[in-house]
Amino acid sequence: MQTKAQAESRFAARISQLEAELKGERAGLQEKLALLDTAKQALANQFEALAGEILEKKSKSFSEGSQKELGTLLTPLKTQIEEFRKKVEEAQTDSTKA
């Protein structure tokens, strides 16, 4: 049969062992948290870069599309203005001759 001192010694040893395990677990968790933070930052940077790239592509596409649409709208107007200018010049020329 064990004496009270031996039991206390065993419990103290077990407590020390459990404290060491807990310390190791905490250290492991801290490392995992650090890795998660690093991964989170890396993903945020990648997302920001991709978002910027997509925005740039969409802006370029929108700009090109807008240029085409604007050209489509303005070409007939340009033609009409040129015709109007010619008619005004012809009217001035006829008026000057008369």
Side-chain angles (χ1 to χ4, degrees), residues 7-67:
E8 286 178 1
S9 177
R10 269 192 2 197
F11 287 137
R14 181 68 177 143
I15 289 171
S16 294
Q17 178 188 7
L18 291 172
E19 286 176 343
E21 287 178 16
L22 180 61
K23 186 177 179 181
E25 289 291 326
R26 285 183 177 165
L29 287 175
Q30 290 297 327
E31 288 178 20
K32 288 178 183 178
L33 282 174
L35 286 173
L36 284 174
D37 284 342
T38 302
K40 178 182 173 184
Q41 187 61 43
L43 287 173
N45 291 342
Q46 287 178 348
F47 178 79
E48 186 177 344
L50 285 173
E53 186 179 322
I54 289 169
L55 181 62
E56 185 179 329
K57 285 180 181 178
K58 291 294 181 185
S59 294
K60 184 177 178 182
S61 175
F62 178 75
S63 177
E64 290 172 356
S66 295
Q67 289 284 45

Side-chain angles (χ1 to χ4, degrees), residues 70-81:
L70 192 59
T72 302
L73 290 173
L74 292 180
T75 299
L77 182 61
K78 179 181 174 185
T79 304
Q80 290 176 357
I81 290 173

